[in-house]
Amino acid sequence: MVIDRIDTVCFRNIKKASLEFSESFNFISGSNAQGKTNLLEAIHFFSLGRSFRTRRYEELVQFGEEYFFLRLRGRSDTGIDIRLEAGYEKGGRIRGSVNGKRLSGIAEIIGIVPSVIFTAQDIEIASGPPGYRRTFLDYTAAQISPLFLSDLKEYRRVIRHRNSLLRRYAGNGDPRGELPAWDEMLVEKGAAIVKGREETLREISSRAARLYGQISPGAEELRLAYSCSFNAPGGDTREALREALENSRENERRRGYTLCGPQYDDILLTLGEAELRKYGSQGRRRLVAVILKLTQALTIMERRAERPVVLLDDIFSELDEETTVRVRKHLTDRYQSFITSPREDDFPEGKEKSARFRVLGGACERVAPI
Amino acid sequence: MNYGLPPLQDLIEYFKKLPGVGEKTARRLGFAILDMDDREVKGFAETLLQIKEKIGFCNRCGNFAEGEICGICSDKSRLEGILCIVERPADLYILEASGQYRGRYHVLHGVLSPLDGVGPDDLNLEKLKSRVDEEGIKELLIATNPSVEGDTTSLYIARMFKDRSIRVTRPARGIPLGSSLEFVDKSTISKALEKREPI
């Protein structure tokens, strides 16, 4: 996918913008709080039919205004012209259209502009609590297998039902004998989640290691391993989950919620022999987080017939110059990318096709190369 | 919209309670009733009243019935020894329309859903237990919807009878007949491939 141009009206602090993009690099600079990330948010909006920062559409409307409107023009990899529009008026519903055809729900827009975005908090994938790594893995798994996404939704539903049951009979057992059926369902769906995640990890771990080796030559090998909270490697997932449920029964009844299952699993990231989360430097963690996101992009490109666009929110500030050059080289010719930074000289003019933009107080303009 | 005609407005509001009927359709239906001749409207209204008076639930299976027992339960030609369990009467009619199943039914009137406060006592399960004994049931075909709740309900029912020599089955899921692969959603195809069978 290549995005040729975007038009926005009253989106966040951007009153009005019409920008034409390069099919390769797009550098967006501007001081903090001027609207750089808002511009990325507008571009990324078409991937999910919502913002990556909030689920509330009201928050996207410019202060003092009543509505926002976004339009994207681009080309699919098969050469088809695409025009996407989305609009929202306070108190109303979000509406979207594809090539002039109204969508019955904005969710139908998902998949047209596949994208990978790296924002400030994504460093948590490398250094934060396990939830960030699970979300990363689940998102990647959903790109590979549509069945995984429905399994995941169903699993979450089972947990919610089961928790509600545990709360209702807190400490008083299970008078109507419902728990065993929900346990069995949890085991069934939980095993499917673990299987999907492990398969995904097998597929992406060598890809991530290769990419890390290219961008950080000579560094220790990056390894990704699934760390199951209730099962030893090689063990039978169903059996192990059944046993874990059995062992935590009393505790669960006292506490009123589910205490075992893949919602407690993690991905173990190691560099050589050292666990990244414990021993990695801030710079290493940041780089690994970027590598994982770029691996996601490679995986989407491999598995889907459409190249994702890559959006990187201020990633170069903590990477050294050589690494920056290698990341740029990796992006060139692979993806259309949108990269923000508070400093213009973060992007010395390279050989690649590029366009530069400056954001100042919500006004966006294309500027001449430096 | 305000017509200054409160009775018409009320009628439109009632029509809107029906599934698939929005403002526009309700308005059309309302004006259509105004156009009907008096006798027909009277017949219509009486039929509406009678439907609630005369049709209740079958004492045996929970299906709709005019009288104590429904037509299917009192049909002597039905296959004995098997019961098909469904969530709602509407599901039963869909299965009936296939003509494939010749046994009797049992309607649960819901599925287990702790989040909505629906437990086993809220379903038509006690009756199911006694029927299995009284009617010498050998197979339970559980045709609840393939949702988390429907699946869990089928597991619950299977457990209810796990110490008895009763066969418990679920309808297979997969690619719909007569449809071309290109129109089947991705999850269904994945599931069908996973559950593939030898020929």
Side-chain angles (χ1 to χ4, degrees), chain A residues 157 161 164 168 176-178 184, chain B residues 113-114 120-121 149 156 159:
Chain A
R157 212 169 154 70
H161 276 306
S164 131
R168 180 162 334 137
R176 293 182 292 183
E178 291 162 83
E184 220 169 304
Chain B
S113 182
D121 297 349
E149 295 78 9
Y156 184 85
R159 291 183 74 91

Side-chain angles (χ1 to χ4, degrees), chain A residues 146-336:
Chain A
L147 194 58
F148 182 83
L149 194 60
S150 60
D151 279 338
L152 190 64
K153 282 184 189 152
E154 288 182 348
Y155 180 75
R156 288 184 179 146
R157 212 169 154 70
V158 172
I159 295 287
R160 287 178 58 214
H161 276 306
R162 197 171 176 277
N163 287 350
S164 131
L165 207 54
L166 286 167
R167 267 198 308 279
R168 180 162 334 137
Y169 298 123
N172 293 323
D174 178 24
R176 293 182 292 183
E178 291 162 83
L179 262 181
W182 288 104
D183 287 358
E184 220 169 304
M185 202 63 192
L186 183 144
V187 167
E188 197 56 41
K189 296 289 165 196
I193 299 302
V194 172
K195 180 166 167 269
R197 285 184 182 166
E198 284 179 339
E199 281 172 6
T200 304
L201 208 57
R202 259 198 298 284
E203 175 171 339
I204 66 168
S205 58
S206 56
R207 205 172 279 153
R210 218 167 29 245
L211 186 55
Y212 186 73
Q214 282 163 16
I215 288 180
S216 202
E220 285 170 308
E221 194 189 346
L222 170 66
R223 256 179 294 210
L224 287 65
Y226 194 68
S227 164
C228 187
S229 55
F230 54 86
N231 190 15
D236 183 279
T237 313
R238 282 190 175 76
E239 272 314 306
L241 191 46
R242 243 173 241 132
E243 209 183 303
L245 281 170
E246 195 58 52
N247 292 336
S248 54
R249 180 129 321 187
E250 285 313 308
N251 221 347
E252 281 190 335
R253 284 187 180 161
R254 232 182 1 257
R255 311 256 294 261
Y257 63 94
T258 303
L259 291 170
C260 43
Q263 73 277 28
Y264 295 103
D265 293 356
D266 198 357
I267 311 172
L268 191 65
L269 300 170
T270 49
L271 283 178
E273 298 304 314
E275 193 184 333
L276 181 73
R277 217 179 131 195
K278 290 184 184 143
Y279 304 105
S281 68
Q282 180 77 359
R284 277 293 123 172
R285 289 176 188 161
R286 196 174 177 82
L287 179 59
V288 168
V290 172
I291 296 291
L292 290 177
K293 282 287 181 161
L294 293 177
T295 303
Q296 201 169 55
L298 281 173
T299 306
I300 293 173
M301 189 156 73
E302 191 105 329
R303 288 304 201 112
R304 308 257 302 267
E306 197 70 42
R307 280 184 306 158
V309 299
V310 174
L311 304 115
L312 305 169
D313 197 11
D314 193 13
I315 65 155
F316 292 132
S317 50
E318 281 178 54
L319 299 179
D320 60 56
E321 209 179 307
E322 277 173 45
T323 309
T324 304
V325 169
R326 291 199 193 94
V327 170
R328 275 176 68 159
K329 188 162 178 285
H330 174 77
L331 295 172
T332 314
D333 300 332
R334 271 201 185 83
Y335 314 107
Q336 182 184 33

Side-chain angles (χ1 to χ4, degrees), chain B residues 134-191:
Chain B
E134 286 158 18
E135 297 175 36
I137 299 302
K138 298 275 175 290
E139 178 172 352
L140 292 173
L141 167 54
I142 309 179
T144 47
N145 284 312
S147 60
V148 162
E149 295 78 9
D151 286 345
T152 306
T153 306
S154 75
L155 290 172
Y156 184 85
I157 294 171
R159 291 183 74 91
M160 274 171 62
F161 297 101
K162 72 174 188 305
D163 299 329
R164 316 269 287 271
S165 57
I166 290 173
R167 194 167 163 233
V168 180
T169 51
R170 290 278 277 155
R173 34 183 101 167
I175 294 165
L177 283 180
S179 67
S180 134
L181 275 180
E182 79 180 295
F183 297 118
V184 182
D185 72 276
K186 289 180 276 187
S187 309
T188 303
I189 289 185
S190 302
K191 200 85 205 168

Side-chain angles (χ1 to χ4, degrees), chain A residues 11-12 37-38 40-57 59-60 68 70 94 106 117:
Chain A
F11 186 84
R12 294 276 193 188
T37 308
N38 297 346
L40 286 193
E41 189 180 21
I43 298 167
H44 189 265
F45 188 93
F46 292 101
S47 286
L48 299 178
R50 62 174 172 83
S51 160
F52 65 84
R53 292 150 121 184
T54 175
R55 284 179 178 275
R56 290 163 47 87
Y57 292 105
E59 289 178 25
L60 305 177
F68 75 77
L70 298 171
I94 180 83
I106 193 74
I117 184 162

